[in-house]
Structure formats: structure tokens, C-alpha cells
Amino acid sequence: MSGNHSGAAAAEENSAKMRVIRVGTRKSQLARIQTDSVVAMLKALYPGLQFEIIAMSTTGDKILDTALSKIGEKSLFTKELEHALERKEVDLVVHSLKDLPTVLPQGFTIGAICKRENPNDAVIFHPKFVGRTLETLPEKSVVGTSSLRRAAQLQRKFPHLQFKSIRGNLNTRLRKLDEQHEFSAIILAVAGLQRMGWQNRVGQILRPEECMYAVGQGALGVEVRAKDQDILDLVGVLHDPETLLRCIAERAFLRQLEGGCSVPVAVHTVMKDGQLYLTGGVWSLDGSDSMQETMQATIHVPAQYEDGPEDDPQLVGITARKIPRGIQLAAENLGINLANLLLSKGAKNILDVARQLNDAH
């Protein structure tokens, strides 16, 4: 009996010594679901570690009466979480990758990009319009979206509709759609709806030719302190090589254009037969003026991780030491080259006008 007792005491003592990894997240239900999914992957990989989730509100969660594009702050959903990282109150933070700016503040890096879910946008219809599509909605129907990117593309494609800003987390937006009679439909990311288990509300999934998606949409990024090698090693195994390379190209494209959420910029990427295809576009705010191009680069994704040099600098805010440096650079160059092509054809003018109009409204 005493042997059993001492064994149990030793186990208890060991569990008391288990290292605790603190994970930061936004407070919304979707953010919690996303963080739980990343923590579940880490627990499966590291059964000897304990994980504690710390939820906090961000500026973007608190300012709900203003369109995101008007707030003029690049790190709306990330700043408070980064402060906690800096103060070592948390060891890593889980974000929707599309919320992370292409240039991170000094001292931070994206240590993992998890496998991407469907990156497209979906339409959710008011109950009285179930069975319709955007094309068959009545003239002057109001469609809610918080994104200039979606509004610009869809206005161009569906000129009979009106687009109006709708803010709040997913639960709030769905409630506004169902309970108020202001909106005939709202546009949300497919990935968020899937993670929330609300696939049954999806009335239409928008194809890239109808509405290209935001840079990084559908992927989760794990942000860490850039010099915390221990945590970088811990989360680095979560990198999905294909998602990583697609997102490096997308983020490099956006960074080179100097885009953000105050201008309509969208992308579409495909990896096929060792080729990475990147389509990128820019739009005027009302969608009347637009420009898009496609380029490709040869990129062979490794079948397994390889050890890279230890002093690799970040690419577009991302650290991925186990993925060959050469293919990361090829993906980054693809994004830069496509942006330069659009800029050479006059994209800067479209973006400058969009930025000025957005600031003036």
C-alpha cells in the first residue's frame, strides 16, 4: 500500500513540476475555438507540458461602432496580445493570420502557420431569402460586410446590390442579420463559419472569380517572441509547408503594395505540380476601377522537414527554420514580383485614391 502511495506522490510531484506554457487569445468564441485547436495539436505533440489559455480583449474588440478601415490602426486585433507577449505574461499567441500585419513590431515573429482551411468567403442570407444567391437578391438589397475588399469586388460584380458596414463578432453579426431587417445577407469567411460549426447557414460560397480572399485568410498564425528559441522550436512543428509558402507569397504581395485594411487588395493562390500560382488584385472603393494579374514560380515542397541555418532572418514576419530557405525566398519573390507588375501598370494610383477616399469619409 505504501509503495502505491509513494508512486502516486511522485506522480503528483512530477505533475506539479510540469512546465506551463501560457497561450494568449482574444476573448471571442471563434478566437477561443481557434486557440483550443492549436493547443490540442500541441498537447498531442507534447504530452509532458501543461497549457494555460489566457483570454483578453483587443482594441478591435472594443471599438464596434466604426468600420475597421476607418480606425487606421494596423494592429487592431493584436496589440494587447503582443504587449502580454512582451511582458512575458504569455509565451505564444494564436491569431487569424489575416489579422497580422505584414511587418510585425520589433521582437515578434510568426513561429507557425497551421494548415489552411477553405480561404473563400461565404454568403449567409436572411431567413426570408434562403435559397437565393447574390445574383437573385432583389434590387437595392443591403449586404453587410466589414471589409472594403469584399465590398469593392462584389459591388463590381453585383451592381444591383448595396453594401454596408457590419461590425461585431460572428455571433453579433448573425444576430443582426436574423433579428433586424436591415440586411438581406452578410458576407463572412468560410473558415470561421466552419470552425463555429455553422456550415448549415452558408447559402453560397463565393468563387475566386466572384470575390478573391484576404491575404492569409483561413490560416492560423502562432506569434511568439522572436528570440525565444525554445518556444520557436516548440511551435515550429505546426508549420504546414504548402500553407506557409502560399501565405509568404500573399504577405509579400501585400507588403510590397503597402496595402492594409484601408484599401481593397485581394489574392488567390494555388500550389500544383511544383508550381505556386499567385493571383493578386487591387480595386477602387466602389469596384469601378480594378487591376489583377497572375504569376507563377517553381516551388518543390519538401516531403519532410529539413534543418536550415540557425541565423535565418524572418520573411514577411515569419520564421520557419525547418523549411528550405530557397523555396521560402522563391515564394516571397513571387509576391514581390506580382506587386511590382501591378505597380508598373498603375496600381499605386488606384490604391492612393482608395486610401484618400476612405480617409475622407
Side-chain angles (χ1 to χ4, degrees), residues 127-333:
K128 72 177 178 189
F129 292 120
V130 166
R132 298 272 189 132
T133 62
L134 287 181
E135 205 158 359
T136 60
L137 277 178
E139 191 82 22
K140 295 209 169 9
S141 292
V142 177
V143 177
T145 173
S146 58
S147 154
L148 294 179
R149 168 189 63 80
R150 291 170 181 149
Q153 291 181 84
L154 295 173
Q155 227 163 327
R156 184 182 177 90
K157 207 84 182 166
F158 306 101
H160 69 293
L161 301 176
Q162 295 180 342
F163 293 87
K164 193 176 168 194
S165 177
I166 183 170
R167 289 288 321 279
N169 60 39
L170 291 193
N171 309 60
T172 307
R173 289 189 215 184
L174 267 190
R175 198 166 56 246
K176 283 181 182 174
L177 172 68
D178 291 343
E179 294 173 11
Q180 300 168 10
H181 292 280
E182 185 178 2
F183 299 103
S184 301
I186 58 174
I187 316 289
L188 297 167
V190 173
L193 292 163
Q194 285 177 337
R195 290 175 188 134
M196 295 285 278
W198 292 346
Q199 296 93 320
N200 64 325
R201 288 299 309 264
V202 174
Q204 181 180 2
I205 291 181
L206 297 169
R207 301 185 309 277
E209 54 272 25
E210 294 171 309
C211 187
M212 290 200 293
Y213 41 83
V215 165
Q217 185 159 309
L220 299 179
V222 182
E223 190 178 16
V224 302
R225 290 179 290 275
K227 291 204 164 29
D228 195 339
Q229 194 53 52
D230 197 21
I231 298 291
L232 267 169
D233 290 343
L234 185 88
V235 302
V237 292
L238 298 179
H239 269 306
D240 176 66
E242 182 178 313
T243 303
L244 169 78
L245 295 167
R246 286 171 63 188
C247 291
I248 284 176
E250 292 172 17
R251 286 171 65 81
F253 171 72
L254 183 64
R255 185 191 60 192
Q256 190 71 4
L257 284 177
E258 294 182 359
C261 58
S262 63
V263 287
V265 174
V267 292
H268 172 60
T269 46
V270 178
M271 186 85 84
K272 195 178 175 192
D273 303 327
Q275 296 290 311
L276 175 56
Y277 299 86
L278 169 64
T279 303
V282 301
W283 286 260
S284 58
L285 287 191
D286 64 359
S288 60
D289 206 358
S290 82
M291 188 181 287
Q292 62 186 71
E293 293 286 348
T294 301
M295 287 179 90
Q296 68 193 78
T298 302
I299 289 177
H300 292 289
V301 179
Q304 61 192 65
Y305 291 120
E306 299 174 15
D307 278 319
E310 280 306 298
D311 58 346
D312 279 357
Q314 301 179 30
L315 290 185
V316 284
I318 300 162
T319 301
R321 290 206 168 99
K322 302 281 187 183
I323 309 289
R325 182 83 178 151
I327 59 174
Q328 291 187 60
L329 286 168
E332 183 187 42
N333 285 332

